[in-house]
Amino acid sequence: MTGLKARAVLNVFLAGSILALVVFPEAAMVQETKPVAPGRIAPPPAPAPVRRTGPEVRPTTTIVFENVIERSGITYVLKNSVSPSRYYYETMIGGAAVFDFNNDGFLDIFFPNGGTIPGLEKADPSYYNRLYRNDGDGTFTDVTDQAGVRGLGYSMGVATGDYDNDGFVDLYVCGVNHNQLLHNNGDGTFSDVTAKAGVPGIHPKFGKTWAITAGWFDYDNDGRLDLFFTTVYGIASFGKKNYPVLYRQESPFVFSDATASAGLAQLSPTSQAAWADFNNDGHLDLVTGGKVLVHRGTANHWLKVRLEGDGRIVNRSAIGTQVRLRLGDQTLTRQVEAGTGEGNQNDLTLHFGLGSHGTPVPLEIFWPNASRQVVGNVLPDRTISIRFGKSP
């Protein structure tokens, strides 16, 4: 940053805009005349310092948001095909995912998009889902076609998670008439493995369930991410019944419908889906449909990692921090996220199922300021707290 001595910068995507959040302590507002480097975002002019008389007052901060979408290179336009019939899904579309798909240390953005009505298809490029690669200089490049993520049908939401433990984050895209599991190949491309993995979101009796909110979590602590998605309406547009679904990952690329066996068959339609270990037994519990469902546990090992930023270089909640855990030839990846699904928030504590692995494990932490920290020989079956800049 030039022009002002800034303490923190945070980019946020909101309602079709990228907002650069700049935090300026008033006591440090020194106007400068240095030019802005090409490709960088210049902060707005600083307000004049507030001069006070009387007792000393602690400095306050001025927080400024600037919409930088015009020069970001992001041209995505949400297309929900508003119709005279006003179908439910026309008003509920518009998810987004912020994740690092190519492991270059810069967060990229994925946008689901709608389709035609009543056809529910992506009839032309204006309906495509979009993936924007962060170029690291304040701009993004549309890599949708190269990555192979145009999508199918009328898309709604998206969940990110490395379900096959190869170190690259994958996508599960929810929709009205199509769900897609997109495997990150690690070379900048994705492959549709929905049919191979057995996660199309199709009810054996009623057909395709309209999926709204989805999320990855390891509910049985076997080291493999499982998938849960919800529906909002018991009977949605066109008279189709809808049901929440839990997919358990049996082995890499192989999932089974565990909704009934896990005791979730009678869940009511809802957009609620949040995970947390309420009783601190190492197993994730589920809040959905106005219910708190406590997991009764397995014999598998686990590890929970609670991260904290210093509030200056790294935000206090450590949002955006990624932790990788190595188990043999597998890399388990988790990221601290501020929100999941439609208006949901999981516990910020990261959870790793370790299966039968009961010996110490190494952790690799990638903080939001691009610094890397290695923590070795962490014992399982406990919660470890790590603060940025300090050893645990």
Side-chain angles (χ1 to χ4, degrees):
M1 298 283 304
T2 57
L4 293 172
K5 291 184 178 178
R7 290 288 300 277
V9 178
L10 175 66
N11 292 334
V12 208
F13 182 85
L14 178 65
S17 304
I18 288 186
L19 305 178
L21 171 59
V22 187
V23 183
F24 301 114
E26 289 181 354
M29 286 185 179
V30 180
Q31 194 70 36
E32 298 175 353
T33 57
K34 296 179 182 179
V36 177
R40 296 294 180 182
I41 300 171
V50 177
R51 302 189 183 280
R52 298 180 175 90
T53 58
E56 181 180 355
V57 179
R58 295 182 62 187
T60 60
T61 59
T62 299
I63 299 176
V64 180
F65 284 91
E66 181 189 7
N67 187 356
V68 297
I69 193 72
E70 295 273 335
R71 56 183 181 271
S72 70
I74 294 177
T75 58
Y76 165 81
V77 176
L78 177 66
K79 195 165 183 181
N80 59 342
S81 296
V82 175
S83 72
S85 299
R86 293 295 188 270
Y87 293 111
Y88 296 137
Y89 43 78
E90 296 176 27
T91 62
M92 302 180 67
I93 185 176
V98 178
F99 71 119
D100 184 3
F101 86 92
N102 55 359
N103 287 350
D104 65 353
F106 296 100
L107 292 174
D108 313 295
I109 307 177
F110 178 85
F111 298 101
N113 209 346
T116 59
I117 291 179
L120 302 179
E121 297 299 338
K122 298 190 185 300
D124 62 64
S126 67
Y127 293 104
Y128 290 171
N129 301 334
R130 294 288 169 182
L131 175 62
Y132 287 91
R133 185 190 65 219
N134 188 334
D135 295 326
D137 59 359
T139 66
F140 292 77
T141 298
D142 188 337
V143 294
T144 303
D145 290 336
Q146 302 95 304
V149 294
R150 293 178 177 180
L152 298 172
Y154 201 104
S155 305
M156 301 290 291
V158 58
T160 62
D162 179 17
Y163 76 92
D164 60 338
N165 295 334
D166 66 352
F168 292 92
V169 179
D170 312 295
L171 296 172
Y172 189 76
V173 184
C174 299
V176 179
N177 57 329
H178 287 283
N179 290 3
Q180 282 187 289
L181 175 56
L182 300 174
H183 175 255
N184 189 335
N185 300 318
D187 59 0
T189 68
F190 290 76
S191 297
D192 187 339
V193 296
T194 313
K196 177 182 178 181
V199 290
I202 297 177
H203 191 279
K205 183 177 179 181
F206 301 107
K208 174 66 176 69
T209 290
W210 170 16
I212 298 290
T213 294
W216 297 97
F217 73 126
D218 184 3
Y219 82 95
D220 53 0
N221 281 353
D222 65 353
R224 294 186 290 266
L225 286 176
D226 310 296
L227 178 66
F228 179 73
F229 71 78
T230 67
T231 60
V232 176
Y233 298 100
I235 298 179
S237 301
F238 308 115
K240 293 183 178 181
K241 291 190 176 182
N242 291 276
Y243 296 89
V245 176
L246 171 64
Y247 285 114
R248 179 178 184 269
Q249 188 175 178
E250 306 286 352
S251 60
F253 293 99
V254 179
F255 291 76
S256 64
D257 188 336
T259 312
S261 62
L264 304 179
Q266 304 302 318
L267 287 179
S268 59
T270 180
S271 61
Q272 295 174 349
W275 297 270
D277 181 10
F278 288 103
N279 53 1
N280 291 325
D281 65 352
H283 296 84
L284 289 176
D285 309 304
L286 173 63
V287 176
T288 184
K291 299 178 175 65
V292 177
L293 305 171
V294 177
H295 194 294
R296 292 308 178 191
T298 69
N300 289 330
H301 296 284
W302 53 273
L303 177 67
K304 295 195 298 182
V305 180
R306 183 176 295 126
L307 301 173
E308 181 184 354
D310 61 353
R312 185 175 61 87
I313 299 174
V314 173
N315 65 89
R316 188 72 68 184
S317 298
I319 292 168
T321 305
Q322 187 180 97
V323 177
R324 299 179 189 175
L325 185 156
R326 194 78 180 160
L327 282 183
D329 62 350
Q330 303 270 294
T331 301
L332 281 61
T333 304
R334 304 289 186 267
Q335 181 169 307
V336 182
E337 299 174 339
T340 55
E342 186 174 306
N344 298 310
Q345 172 63 64
N346 298 330
D347 182 12
L348 295 178
T349 302
L350 300 180
H351 173 271
F352 295 85
L354 303 179
S356 60
H357 189 96
T359 57
V361 295
L363 298 178
E364 193 174 14
I365 305 171
F366 297 88
W367 297 96
N369 71 328
S371 65
R372 172 178 170 270
Q373 180 179 359
V374 176
V375 180
N377 297 319
V378 179
L379 294 172
D381 302 322
R382 67 195 61 224
T383 300
I384 180 174
S385 296
I386 303 173
R387 192 172 192 270
F388 174 75
K390 296 185 177 182
S391 300

